[in-house]
Amino acid sequence: MTAKVVKLAQPGFDVKTAGDENLIYNSNWPLLKIFHSDSYSTSNVSSSLTIFNHNLGYPPMFWVYTNEPINSWNFSQTTPRDTRAEFLGISAALGFISVDKDNLYLVSSATSTFNLNVSFQYYIFALDLSQQFTAPIIKTGAIGGKRGNTVFKLAKEGKDISSQSLEDFAVHSDARSPLIHSVNVGLINESLGSGYAFTVHHNLGYIPMFFGYSTTSAGRYVIRAAGGGGGTNFITADAEKIQWKDTIVGTVPQTIVILKDPFMVDYSVRVSI
Amino acid sequence: MSQVFKITLPNNDVRTSDLKDEVLNSLAPSPKINTQASPPHVGIIFLNWASSSLVIPRGTTQVLYSFPHGYNYVPTAIAVFAFDNGVNPQNGTLPFQYGALGIITIDTDALNVNLKYFSIDLGSTIIPPFTMQVRFYVMAERGYI
């Protein structure tokens, strides 16, 4: 018997021929689903804090948007908040915001250089960072056509289906939502001769979008921030694989969450300095 | 009573499933990227940092690219990148710290989405040339409340 599949294509794509990355959803893999979102702000991080008890029983994928002024990057902000949202920001990039199977934490730094002003918006998703998952690859690389006028939408509880605001919907076919291709858990322990790697063969045929999460010695998960131009811990990606590399062998698990969403898209701009 | 629309992953019963085993659930919204927006909310910025003489003083912000998002609040954005300085190419998620010189980051404010360079340089260091492809998503979810 053929397995039954529920799927919805993005406008302009035929659901029978659309590539996996061109779907609004497919019942073979999950959308990124928001379990909980809230904001937090303080002008005095004097101790380690539990920000939210999610109680999911597994370490969930999470995102952080800092509202701190951009000069927090050189520890010189004097206020916790600015009217802006930056993915990670210095507090998350330095690993001060973390999750485990029970809570979201803000950990104060032991160093005197860390600014005590912290403000952020956080999103906790219903996706287990400790559980391996790989979606099938059914078809990729379809080419879209003309958009129709039909719209599929699911309003959030308490919101009107006729709302013109995208944020009032759980799913809306005029919008795409991140599609989970895989969750990969492993150690950076594959010898490369001049270092070590954690290699994930995604085999999508294109470079996908992805997110890295590191496990701390305390068993918490932090979002991996990128540094380069000579760093020793970095990630490379191509159309077949993603490699998380380091000069020393890893002893704690890392997680790479790969989206179906491709890196390349047809709209681009060029900026020269 | 709340009405829920949900679809589960294979081999899960929709009546008893855990949220993490569901494809979608109307009580758990997904981040939404408007595919009808203009300028587009999905795209790539090809950054060519060709200058071999530029010094940016510590604390200075240089807006590399900016465009209006069209929301009447501060939305959210994410960006992944492919960086290449000819020596140490790598991929990841912005923000990206370029050595001890600066931070390349994407943020949103009440009007715009901005790709920025912020200097953390303690000296007067010339920024070595590099290229970076930045793939961005602008999402309807709020980043500042």
Side-chain angles (χ1 to χ4, degrees), chain A residues 181-217:
Chain A
H181 174 65
S182 62
V183 179
N184 309 277
V185 183
L187 295 168
I188 303 175
N189 62 0
E190 171 193 350
S191 177
L192 299 176
S194 59
Y196 300 88
F198 168 35
T199 302
V200 177
H201 294 273
H202 57 75
N203 298 316
L204 285 166
Y206 54 80
I207 300 175
M209 296 178 72
F210 68 89
F211 299 88
Y213 290 82
S214 296
T215 313
T216 69
S217 57

Side-chain angles (χ1 to χ4, degrees), chain A residues 28-250:
Chain A
N28 280 306
W29 50 82
L31 293 175
L32 197 56
K33 301 177 295 294
I34 301 169
F35 170 73
H36 180 78
S37 174
D38 206 347
S39 59
Y40 180 79
S41 190
T42 179
S43 58
N44 184 16
V45 185
S46 56
S47 61
S48 297
L49 301 168
T50 297
I51 303 300
F52 178 68
N53 172 228
H54 60 73
N55 205 26
L56 284 166
Y58 57 83
M61 180 172 172
F62 68 106
W63 287 350
V64 172
Y65 286 89
T66 186
N67 304 132
E68 298 167 31
I70 196 168
N71 59 12
S72 62
W73 281 104
N74 60 20
F75 307 103
S76 63
Q77 86 269 32
T78 55
T79 59
R81 302 199 84 192
D82 202 353
T83 312
R84 64 188 290 268
E86 175 191 2
F87 189 65
L88 296 190
I90 190 166
S91 299
L94 292 182
F96 296 141
I97 301 173
S98 60
V99 296
D100 64 12
K101 67 181 181 59
D102 299 313
N103 299 309
L104 175 78
Y105 302 96
L106 172 63
V107 180
S108 66
S109 169
T111 71
S112 60
T113 55
F114 182 56
N115 199 307
L116 301 181
N117 292 297
V118 174
S119 178
F120 58 91
Q121 178 82 19
Y122 62 89
Y123 285 87
I124 294 175
F125 301 103
L127 187 72
D128 185 350
L129 290 174
S130 67
Q131 181 68 47
Q132 184 78 30
F133 168 81
T134 305
I137 300 172
I138 299 167
K139 175 182 168 61
T140 61
I143 298 173
K146 186 179 177 184
R147 300 177 70 104
N149 294 322
T150 306
V151 176
F152 174 89
K153 49 189 177 181
L154 285 174
K156 289 181 184 174
E157 189 174 30
K159 300 295 183 182
D160 194 317
I161 198 75
S162 63
S163 169
Q164 297 300 303
S165 177
L166 268 184
E167 67 170 341
D168 290 342
F169 294 90
V171 176
H172 196 303
S173 62
D174 278 346
R176 64 175 301 147
S177 296
L179 306 167
I180 303 299
H181 174 65
S182 62
V183 179
N184 309 277
V185 183
L187 295 168
I188 303 175
N189 62 0
E190 171 193 350
S191 177
L192 299 176
S194 59
Y196 300 88
F198 168 35
T199 302
V200 177
H201 294 273
H202 57 75
N203 298 316
L204 285 166
Y206 54 80
I207 300 175
M209 296 178 72
F210 68 89
F211 299 88
Y213 290 82
S214 296
T215 313
T216 69
S217 57
R220 295 179 182 175
Y221 288 73
V222 298
I223 306 173
R224 182 192 180 276
T232 57
N233 180 300
F234 59 95
I235 295 176
T236 59
D238 61 30
E240 301 301 323
K241 64 183 182 304
I242 294 173
Q243 281 193 305
W244 194 331
K245 302 174 183 174
D246 206 330
T247 54
I248 57 174
V249 66

Side-chain angles (χ1 to χ4, degrees), chain A residues 33 86 123 157 235 261-262, chain B residues 2 22 91 105 135 137 142:
Chain A
K33 301 177 295 294
E86 175 191 2
Y123 285 87
E157 189 174 30
I235 295 176
D261 307 55
Chain B
S2 294
E22 295 171 357
N91 302 70
T105 192
R135 205 270 212 204
Y137 270 165
R142 291 176 188 252

